[in-house]
């Protein structure tokens, strides 16, 4: 089977985002960028399915400006066979991304699409579900285990209160949770080899998707700061303060 | 204009997130209908009809909705969508699962995890793990919204309103429920508890989490964990508080042996009072804690338990 893995270039997860002074957005100039951590897990799962003989080809796809090819090369170095870059300078919403991806699903007809459950920048948690809706496929979100059988895929999902396993008809869409796997690192020889793997560039405008914004970003603010607390010297003082000062116990 | 709220329930009980989501929905300013989809709903429908702010309860009783599978539930909501300008659910794993599917089928964008309603089109939501708050305006004619329940109060009670039955297609044949494995707990639910005590990597192993039990019992607290504690296998992952786990905002949050990474703070920094117990005085958790105690948790926890 062929597996498609959409990935996203985002701010590195260790970097604390700063709001621009004019409140128009978060400042991403000169900030370290990386592959979204959940997308790394998606790539890893696809590669493992290939190593297990379940998958025959892994295609990585990303949508964004030219710099996002860096993350596609990372995906190739990790073991993806080819990459597709949908090039756009626009800042897109999840619905746009899902629509563009559905065109790639049409073109590539993968039996499984594995996405991260959410990107750590917009924290939307929508694209996989929307792609499933647009392609009319079943969805296994927040996956902590993926078990491909003939004609179906069993997905164990991390839900509030525990785990739930669902069986989806193939072709299907899966989104990854953190505990699905431990992503590997790209080795230097593989990074070199990745430079020679195929990378197709498609202009987003050529796919016939209406990319007009549906959500207007009015402003972005810093969250309310918490006032500085105090350090207490012992347990007795802590309990006393919680009882008499904070009145929470 | 009317608002449809999709109720969330488990084992015949409405979840508190549903009440809080209704509080958010009422703020939109329109009549609120509550959809209850599942199996054997009669007991719950009374409870649903008594939540202040609900004008009408819609009941969809079908085995296909019993496990709230996204494919079937989204199809049902879509079939009702014509009557509503706003469709709202709580941002629980269930809401996050089916709502974007509804939005895409309606060809509208979804606004995820709102923490405030400015007006019927404009909302506030956290981005970048809560390090920024975006004010966003939906330009779509229909709004599909998920609500961060911890940011809204629980709705009061009212005299029960009318209950109407609705039917959907049932199963759309894309997915089937296989099994579930619930984590057993007698403590209050993490997202609803007034007090939460969480352990991190500093707990060193799963057995040591028992040190939190006595304190949790005395405070009526739920026990949570950081991702480090979950990844190390100390405790199951549904105890995880953070950007990728549960978002809590209790009156009192006690962080024990937790350094306070960005991703953890995203899940608890709206708590009313935060207490940090950590032996590293430079741990970032002390920057958000109202009360900090720099000490070894293994000395402090038994002392704290006996002092309560």
């Amino acid at each position: 089977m062929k597996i498609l893995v959409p990935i996203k270039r985002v701010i590195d997860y260790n970097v604390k985002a700063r709001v621009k002074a004019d409140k128009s957005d978060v400042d991403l100039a000169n900030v370290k960028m990386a592959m979204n951590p959940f997308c790394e897990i998606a790539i890893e799962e696809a590669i493992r399915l290939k190593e297990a003989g379940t998958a025959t080809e892994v295609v990585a796809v990303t949508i964004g400006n030219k710099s996002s090819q860096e993350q596609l090369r990372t995906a190739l170095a990790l073991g993806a066979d080819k990459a597709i870059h949908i090039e756009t300078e626009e800042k897109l919403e999840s619905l746009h991304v899902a629509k563009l991806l559905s065109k790639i699903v049409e073109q590539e007809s993968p039996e499984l699409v594995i996405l991260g459950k959410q990107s750590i920048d917009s924290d939307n948690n929508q694209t996989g579900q929307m792609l499933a809706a647009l392609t009319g496929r079943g969805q296994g979100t927040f996956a902590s285990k993926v078990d491909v059988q003939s004609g179906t895929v069993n997905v164990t999902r991390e839900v509030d209160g525990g785990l739930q396993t669902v069986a989806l008809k193939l072709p299907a869409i899966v989104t990854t949770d953190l505990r699905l796997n431990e992503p590997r690192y790209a080795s230097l020889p593989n990074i070199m080899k990745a430079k020679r793997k195929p990378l197709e560039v498609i202009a987003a405008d050529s796919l016939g998707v209406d990319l007009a914004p549906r959500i207007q970003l009015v402003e972005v603010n810093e969250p309310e700061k918490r006032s500085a607390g105090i350090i207490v010297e012992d347990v007795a003082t802590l309990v006393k303060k919680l009882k008499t000062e904070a009145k929470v116990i | 204009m009317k608002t449809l709220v999709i109720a969330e329930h488990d084992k015949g009980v409405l979840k508190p997130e549903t009440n809080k989501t209704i509080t958010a929905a009422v703020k939109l300013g329109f009549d609120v209908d509550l959809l209850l989809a599942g199996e054997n709903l009669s007991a719950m429908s009374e409870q649903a009809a008594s939540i202040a702010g609900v004008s009408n309860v819609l009941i969809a009783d079908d085995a296909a909705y019993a496990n709230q599978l996204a494919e079937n539930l989204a199809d049902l909501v879509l079939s009702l969508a014509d009557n509503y300008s706003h469709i709202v659910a709580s941002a629980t794993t269930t809401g996050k699962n089916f709502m974007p599917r509804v939005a895409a089928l309606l060809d509208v964008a979804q606004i995820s995890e709102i923490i405030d309603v400015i007006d019927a089109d404009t909302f506030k939501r956290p981005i970048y793990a809560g390090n920024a708050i975006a004010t966003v305006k939906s330009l779509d004619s229909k709004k599909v919204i998920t609500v961060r329940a911890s940011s809204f109060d629980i709705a009061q009670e009212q005299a029960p309103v009318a209950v109407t039955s609705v039917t959907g297609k049932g199963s759309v044949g894309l997915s089937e429920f296989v099994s579930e494995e619930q984590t057993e707990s007698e403590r209050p639910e993490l997202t609803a508890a007034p007090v939460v005590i969480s352990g991190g990597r500093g707990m060193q192993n799963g057995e040591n989490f028992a040190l939190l039990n006595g304190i949790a019992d005395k405070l009526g607290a739920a026990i949570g964990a950081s991702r480090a504690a979950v990844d190390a296998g100390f405790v199951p992952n549904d105890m995880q508080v953070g950007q990728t786990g549960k978002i809590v905002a209790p009156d009192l949050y006690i962080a024990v042996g937790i350094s306070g990474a960005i991703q953890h703070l995203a899940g608890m920094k709206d708590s009313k009072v935060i207490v940090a117990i950590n032996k590293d005085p430079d741990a970032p958790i002390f920057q958000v804690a109202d009360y900090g105690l720099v000490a070894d948790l293994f000395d402090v926890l038994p002392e704290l338990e006996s002092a309560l």
Side-chain angles (χ1 to χ4, degrees), chain A residues 2-3 17 55 89-90 148 162 174 177:
Chain A
K2 188 195 265 194
I3 302 180
E89 293 292 327
E90 303 288 316
V148 180
V174 169
D177 216 320

Side-chain angles (χ1 to χ4, degrees), chain B residues 62-112:
Chain B
D62 192 317
Y65 307 130
N67 298 295
Q68 304 186 320
L69 293 178
E71 298 80 3
N72 302 344
L73 195 51
D75 188 75
L76 171 70
V77 175
L78 187 72
S79 71
L80 299 166
D82 276 353
N83 301 324
Y84 300 95
S85 59
H86 293 71
I87 300 172
V88 182
S90 44
T92 55
T93 50
T94 306
K96 287 174 180 174
N97 189 30
F98 78 88
M99 284 291 268
R101 197 171 175 104
V102 172
L105 293 171
L106 288 167
D107 192 24
V108 302
Q110 173 183 291
I111 315 268
S112 292

Side-chain angles (χ1 to χ4, degrees), chain A residues 99 121-124 126 129 137 139 141 160-161 163 165 167 214 216 218-219 221 226 230 232 245, chain B residues 71 96-97 101 107 110 112 128 133 135 137 139-140 176 178-179 181 183 243 269 271 290-292:
Chain A
K99 285 183 175 183
D121 51 0
S122 55
D123 282 334
N124 273 326
Q126 300 174 0
Q129 295 88 316
R137 298 179 173 196
Q139 62 186 60
T141 52
D160 296 334
L163 299 171
T165 304
R214 307 295 193 88
Q216 181 196 336
V218 181
E219 62 173 29
N221 287 289
R226 292 187 74 96
I230 54 162
V232 295
E245 201 174 273
Chain B
E71 298 80 3
K96 287 174 180 174
N97 189 30
R101 197 171 175 104
D107 192 24
Q110 173 183 291
S112 292
Y128 292 86
I133 307 295
T135 305
K137 184 175 176 168
L139 307 175
D140 284 310
E176 265 174 67
V178 178
S179 62
E181 202 183 306
T183 311
Q243 183 186 20
K269 69 183 164 65
S271 305
D290 299 280
Y291 301 102

Side-chain angles (χ1 to χ4, degrees), chain B residues 5-289:
Chain B
V5 175
I6 297 96
E8 178 152 357
H9 54 88
D10 189 28
K11 295 185 197 70
V13 184
L14 271 186
K15 288 202 163 189
E17 284 89 344
T18 300
N19 297 55
K20 294 181 177 179
T21 300
I22 287 167
T23 303
V26 167
K27 284 195 173 179
L28 295 166
F30 312 113
D31 280 356
V32 176
D33 286 0
L34 184 64
L35 170 66
L36 194 52
E39 225 181 355
N40 306 322
L41 302 168
S42 48
M44 243 186 315
S45 72
E46 258 174 67
Q47 196 192 340
S50 307
I51 304 172
V54 173
S55 330
N56 196 3
V57 176
L58 309 177
I59 298 272
D61 200 324
D62 192 317
Y65 307 130
N67 298 295
Q68 304 186 320
L69 293 178
E71 298 80 3
N72 302 344
L73 195 51
D75 188 75
L76 171 70
V77 175
L78 187 72
S79 71
L80 299 166
D82 276 353
N83 301 324
Y84 300 95
S85 59
H86 293 71
I87 300 172
V88 182
S90 44
T92 55
T93 50
T94 306
K96 287 174 180 174
N97 189 30
F98 78 88
M99 284 291 268
R101 197 171 175 104
V102 172
L105 293 171
L106 288 167
D107 192 24
V108 302
Q110 173 183 291
I111 315 268
S112 292
E113 293 215 35
I114 61 160
I115 55 169
D116 202 1
V117 175
I118 310 295
D119 60 40
D121 308 320
T122 317
F123 312 94
K124 283 193 180 188
R125 60 177 302 265
I127 52 175
Y128 292 86
N131 285 309
I133 307 295
T135 305
V136 292
K137 184 175 176 168
S138 166
L139 307 175
D140 284 310
S141 56
K142 241 184 235 307
K143 328 285 179 207
V144 174
I145 300 161
T146 62
V147 172
R148 177 173 287 186
S150 63
S151 298
F152 296 90
D153 294 332
I154 208 146
Q156 302 297 307
E157 285 193 30
Q158 66 177 10
V161 295
V163 175
T164 336
S165 274
V166 292
T167 45
K169 204 186 291 170
S171 173
V172 297
L174 289 169
S175 58
E176 265 174 67
F177 171 79
V178 178
S179 62
E180 66 182 349
E181 202 183 306
Q182 299 240 328
T183 311
E184 294 303 323
S185 173
E186 285 154 24
R187 300 191 186 283
E189 218 180 327
L190 200 49
T191 50
V195 180
V196 173
I197 181 162
S198 288
R201 199 192 294 276
M203 299 300 291
Q204 291 180 7
N205 59 48
E207 288 77 60
N208 288 337
F209 263 76
L211 292 169
L212 304 179
N213 287 339
I215 300 170
D217 286 341
K218 287 192 168 163
L219 294 173
I223 298 182
S226 69
R227 183 182 163 199
V230 173
D231 279 353
F234 299 173
V235 290
N237 58 38
D238 57 338
M239 283 171 66
Q240 185 186 322
V241 173
Q243 183 186 20
T244 57
K246 294 196 171 125
I247 314 284
V248 300
D251 293 335
L252 174 61
Y253 188 89
I254 307 175
V256 184
I258 293 177
S259 65
I262 297 175
Q263 293 81 1
H264 185 73
L265 300 183
M268 46 63 83
K269 69 183 164 65
D270 292 324
S271 305
K272 203 168 133 207
V273 174
I274 297 173
V275 170
I277 299 172
N278 203 305
K279 64 180 174 191
D280 175 10
D282 297 323
I285 190 78
F286 287 119
Q287 290 163 22
V288 299

